[in-house]
């Protein structure tokens, strides 16, 4: 994928106002796990053409990066331009729950139960990457806690299905 990304970046540099090259770079960056770089390309693609797929991918990346607040602006666009049949309003509600839990956790980062709740909320929409962050924090705060162990099993299950 690295070589494909290099070629795609070359096309994007050659044709900087062609919106179609930015999502291609973003997709390759996502596959390589280069999320901040993918955000750049999808943002640029969205700015140039208000592309539904760019907005959808930005939501996915921001959630994988545990930055749900940054995903919120794209939900209105997704809901208003949805041809996919996905219920983005329901997903937005789940993301809002994560945001509230994260705010509570920021005010008391010693509460392993809140870390578990954030992980469980992320798992409602199969975001194993972000859930893993909070399971790890929960284990650190209270080693051997049963809820974190159960959440870890759910994360393993989701990752094995991919």
């Amino acid at each position: 994928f690295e070589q494909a990304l290099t070629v795609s970046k070359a096309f994007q540099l050659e044709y900087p106002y062609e919106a179609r090259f930015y999502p291609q770079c973003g997709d390759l960056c996502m596959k390589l796990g280069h999320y901040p770089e993918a955000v750049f390309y999808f943002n640029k693609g969205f700015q140039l053409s208000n592309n539904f797929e760019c907005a959808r991918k930005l939501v996915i990346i921001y959630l994988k990066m545990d930055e749900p607040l940054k995903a919120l602006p794209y939900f209105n666009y997704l809901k208003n331009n949805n041809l996919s049949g996905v219920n983005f309003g329901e997903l937005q509600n789940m993301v809002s729950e994560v945001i509230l839990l994260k705010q509570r956790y920021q005010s008391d980062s010693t509460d392993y139960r809140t870390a578990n709740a954030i992980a469980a909320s992320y798992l409602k929409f199969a975001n194993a990457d972000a859930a893993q962050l909070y399971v790890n924090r929960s284990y650190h705060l209270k080693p051997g806690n049963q809820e974190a162990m159960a959440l870890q099993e759910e994360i393993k299950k989701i990752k094995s299905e991919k």
Side-chain angles (χ1 to χ4, degrees), residues 2-21:
E2 287 286 349
Q3 289 177 333
L5 179 58
T6 301
V7 171
S8 193
K9 284 180 178 180
F11 276 107
Q12 177 267 310
L13 288 171
E14 184 72 25
Y15 305 100
Y17 300 106
E18 280 287 327
R20 64 189 165 121
F21 294 117

Side-chain angles (χ1 to χ4, degrees), residues 65-90:
M65 293 172 48
D66 186 34
E67 296 183 24
L69 274 172
K70 290 182 179 179
L72 285 180
Y74 298 98
F75 275 107
N76 286 335
Y77 181 83
L78 292 174
K79 289 188 296 189
N80 294 332
N81 297 281
N82 186 8
L83 300 175
S84 68
V86 174
N87 186 346
F88 288 105
E90 186 178 328

Side-chain angles (χ1 to χ4, degrees), residues 62-140:
Y62 282 132
L63 295 177
K64 281 184 174 285
M65 293 172 48
D66 186 34
E67 296 183 24
L69 274 172
K70 290 182 179 179
L72 285 180
Y74 298 98
F75 275 107
N76 286 335
Y77 181 83
L78 292 174
K79 289 188 296 189
N80 294 332
N81 297 281
N82 186 8
L83 300 175
S84 68
V86 174
N87 186 346
F88 288 105
E90 186 178 328
L91 179 59
Q92 185 176 14
N93 290 339
M94 289 188 271
V95 169
S96 295
E97 179 184 330
V98 169
I99 291 168
L100 291 173
L101 288 167
K102 283 185 65 163
Q103 289 169 345
R104 185 173 4 149
Y105 187 72
Q106 286 175 350
S107 66
D108 182 9
S109 61
T110 63
D111 185 2
Y112 75 93
R113 289 178 296 267
T114 303
N116 286 338
I118 295 169
S121 292
Y122 270 129
L123 289 173
K124 286 180 185 175
F125 49 93
N127 187 348
D129 294 337
Q132 186 68 66
L133 296 172
Y134 291 93
V135 166
N136 292 346
R137 291 176 187 175
S138 178
Y139 274 139
H140 178 73

Side-chain angles (χ1 to χ4, degrees), residues 27-80:
D27 283 332
L28 291 166
C29 289
M30 269 183 79
K31 287 178 181 167
L32 292 166
H34 303 165
Y35 297 133
E37 192 176 0
V39 164
F40 169 79
Y41 288 112
F42 286 123
N43 264 327
K44 189 67 173 173
F46 186 77
Q47 289 169 1
L48 290 173
S49 70
N50 281 348
N51 181 302
F52 180 86
E53 273 305 300
C54 286
R56 189 180 72 78
K57 298 268 176 90
L58 284 163
V59 166
I60 292 168
I61 294 168
Y62 282 132
L63 295 177
K64 281 184 174 285
M65 293 172 48
D66 186 34
E67 296 183 24
L69 274 172
K70 290 182 179 179
L72 285 180
Y74 298 98
F75 275 107
N76 286 335
Y77 181 83
L78 292 174
K79 289 188 296 189
N80 294 332

